[in-house]
Amino acid sequence: MSTSDESITTIHPLRASLQGSTRVPGDKSISHRAVLFSAMAQGLSKVSGVLDSGDVQSSLAAIEQLGARVDLKKQPDGSLAGTIEGWGAAGPVQPGTPIDCGNSGTTARLLMGMLAPWDREVAITGDDSLCKRPMRRITAPLMKMGVRFVPEGADTLPLSLTGTRSLKSITYHAPMSSAQLKTAVLLAGVYAKGTTTVTEPSPSRNHTELMLPEYGIETTAVSGTASVKGPGVLKACDVAVPGDPSSAAFLACAAVLLPGSVLHIEGVSLNTARIGFVRTLEQMGATVSIRHTGAEGKEPFGTITASHTDVLRGCEIPAEKIATLVDEVPVLSLVAAFARGVTVFRGVEELRVKETDRLAAVTEGLGLLGVDAWIDGNDLFIEGQPGLRVPEGLVFDSHNDHRLAMTWALVGLTGNRPVQVANFDSVKISYPRFLQDIERLAK
Ligand code: S3P
């Protein structure tokens, strides 16, 4: 049972181990793309399994403001399904007010690419966290393609963008691996004459490259390089969204930490660009496995099984693998805190510019637990303590970051005493029913 007052939630230890089979809500990245690409498309797209969360609602509100017609209904399993009629060749309408992307970096950054081909002036803003996150990584390549931004050269929201009907295609060597950057440039590239190519230092998640051909766009992708050939217009299609591996990771890590647990998480995306956390858990010696059961379009899905593991060992994750588990570093850091030896995440500087500075937040939170965790250059080190006990009276700060809220909640849920989490409510961004789901599985 968990009790809460205004902004502090007390998370109590689960009453039993985690058992049985479950599903997790739709994948956040794929849901954003299903919604946003359908808005760009000509015709009526059918979408199902769409995540109903704060971030995806930001994308839905944005496309409605831009003239797409959204008719999605809540399903018995909590997902959204229905139709989206896009603006197609006519383009979006000129919105009368700024588009507020809330906490959603994906909405803000992908929108910039979507709006690039249209001569509308659109102001984009977001909440306090989003207004601190870097945007020059998107505005720089889009400016090369002909888009104007005001204030010119600004790195943060709020920003106004004016697109152009004569976009130039580019070959862009991205300075960091970012699926949002890659997607924004490729979406603009759909409307530019010729081939637009993005290369990245190591491959980021590839949902865009897998989904654009479903919308009729000629796309090529090999590890670390993706191209689209323009000009073209997306054509409506049907998309079914599989479960979110990033949400499944919290349940899987909880099962690994909680004695007696055996949990099967079904219908989860098993895209290799997303399940680096399974490989890391395996490397730590955890009992975890995957089984493919099907595919939605080109996205494979299946079951992740995770069981309690008594002896975990520290491991090293090389920089080129970080993109495959970038959103799971906080929860994997918590698992590493219980492992024998040191775990090293190499090249995790991108964590500094997520919903909050997740590197600082992880070392702060593990410090409260009495675990040595430190940053050296761009690497994160955690010295595990097998048999670690939770001290009394811990209050973790989620920093209004959904993934930190769930990470610190796991300390209370799988530990020996309750903990408190400030602003736990931020879980609504990606997994609104996280606590109810995990409590239901404790039997
Ligand atoms: C996302 C890409 C990742 C990830 C984010 C969602 C996406 O960020 O951290 O939660 O849907 O494209 P990057 O753009 O930094 O890869």
Side-chain angles (χ1 to χ4, degrees):
M1 199 207 52
S2 297
T3 48
S4 64
D5 65 22
E6 229 168 59
S7 63
I8 299 280
T9 301
T10 303
I11 308 284
H12 296 271
L14 292 169
R15 278 165 301 158
S17 58
L18 293 165
Q19 299 295 335
S21 297
T22 190
R23 300 181 89 85
V24 283
D27 184 76
K28 183 158 80 68
S29 288
I30 302 176
S31 294
H32 277 299
R33 285 161 176 76
V35 163
L36 297 173
F37 297 3
S38 295
M40 294 170 75
Q42 184 80 38
L44 197 68
S45 294
K46 274 197 208 142
V47 296
S48 62
V50 172
L51 170 66
D52 187 6
S53 78
D55 261 14
V56 180
Q57 287 295 344
S58 293
S59 280
L60 287 168
I63 61 162
E64 283 198 291
Q65 216 177 322
L66 289 163
R69 293 215 185 95
V70 177
D71 184 14
L72 299 185
K73 300 222 162 42
K74 190 93 165 167
Q75 304 301 301
D77 66 358
S79 68
L80 297 173
T83 59
I84 296 175
E85 191 177 352
W87 52 71
V93 299
Q94 168 73 55
T97 50
I99 296 183
D100 185 347
C101 301
N103 193 243
S104 178
T106 311
T107 308
R109 291 173 173 151
L110 270 52
L111 264 189
M112 291 181 189
M114 292 165 65
L115 293 168
W118 307 104
D119 49 8
R120 321 269 191 266
E121 187 186 341
V122 182
I124 300 175
T125 189
D127 70 7
D128 288 348
S129 151
L130 187 53
C131 285
K132 290 194 193 97
R133 297 182 65 186
M135 293 295 152
R136 206 178 283 136
R137 57 180 60 194
I138 313 291
T139 61
L142 291 183
M143 280 164 70
K144 287 185 199 294
M145 298 177 83
V147 180
R148 283 184 294 125
F149 288 91
V150 176
E152 206 178 320
D155 190 26
T156 50
L157 299 180
L159 277 172
S160 282
L161 160 164
T162 308
T164 168
R165 287 179 189 255
S166 47
L167 277 177
K168 293 189 275 291
S169 55
I170 55 169
T171 292
Y172 191 67
H173 301 290
M176 70 286 289
S177 298
S178 160
Q180 294 171 353
L181 185 174
K182 173 175 64 181
T183 305
V185 174
L186 292 178
L187 290 182
V190 166
Y191 290 83
K193 194 158 175 270
T195 300
T196 292
T197 300
V198 182
T199 67
E200 345 180 56
S202 58
S204 64
R205 63 192 64 187
N206 61 349
H207 305 302
T208 297
E209 300 91 299
L210 294 181
M211 204 188 279
L212 276 180
E214 306 275 313
Y215 284 86
I217 299 301
E218 204 180 316
T219 311
T220 54
V222 286
S223 185
T225 303
S227 305
V228 289
K229 201 162 162 212
V233 177
L234 280 71
K235 286 177 205 65
C237 77
D238 297 353
V239 181
V241 179
D244 195 328
S246 296
S247 296
F250 291 98
L251 300 182
C253 290
V256 167
L257 293 177
L258 192 65
S261 299
V262 183
L263 203 56
H264 307 281
I265 312 160
E266 298 172 343
V268 185
S269 165
L270 295 181
N271 183 321
T272 48
R274 294 292 301 284
I275 56 166
F277 76 94
V278 174
R279 305 291 166 232
T280 302
L281 289 173
E282 278 170 351
Q283 246 183 298
M284 289 178 156
T287 311
V288 56
S289 62
I290 58 169
R291 189 167 57 88
H292 285 82
T293 55
E296 301 284 15
K298 292 188 187 133
E299 293 280 353
F301 67 84
T303 304
I304 298 176
T305 298
S307 309
H308 172 247
T309 311
D310 218 13
V311 179
L312 296 164
R313 49 177 185 272
C315 68
E316 181 168 335
I317 299 97
E320 63 273 16
K321 291 287 177 211
I322 292 300
T324 70
L325 49 79
V326 64
D327 293 336
E328 288 65 68
V329 173
V331 72
L332 289 171
S333 299
L334 178 65
V335 176
F338 291 87
R340 178 170 306 141
V342 175
T343 294
V344 191
F345 294 92
R346 300 275 178 206
V348 281
E349 61 274 18
E350 275 294 299
L351 266 75
R352 293 194 188 280
V353 291
K354 293 293 177 188
E355 284 81 334
T356 189
D357 179 345
R358 287 184 179 161
L359 277 189
V362 163
T363 54
E364 170 195 282
L366 293 183
L368 290 179
L369 270 171
V371 171
D372 262 340
W374 66 96
I375 301 156
D376 186 4
N378 291 326
D379 303 336
L380 171 65
F381 293 76
I382 295 138
E383 187 169 348
Q385 286 180 36
L388 176 70
R389 307 278 293 166
V390 179
E392 219 178 309
L394 288 193
V395 186
F396 291 100
D397 189 349
S398 73
H399 296 276
N400 279 314
D401 179 321
H402 51 132
R403 305 220 189 269
L404 292 171
M406 289 186 272
T407 296
W408 303 133
L410 282 200
V411 176
L413 289 164
T414 64
N416 51 296
R417 51 167 55 100
V419 302
Q420 294 189 312
V421 181
N423 298 319
F424 176 75
D425 192 39
S426 54
V427 299
K428 65 178 183 286
I429 289 301
S430 63
Y431 194 172
R433 294 185 58 77
F434 164 71
L435 204 50
Q436 290 91 326
D437 276 5
I438 200 163
E439 287 179 342
R440 179 176 47 79
L441 291 164
K443 46 193 178 209

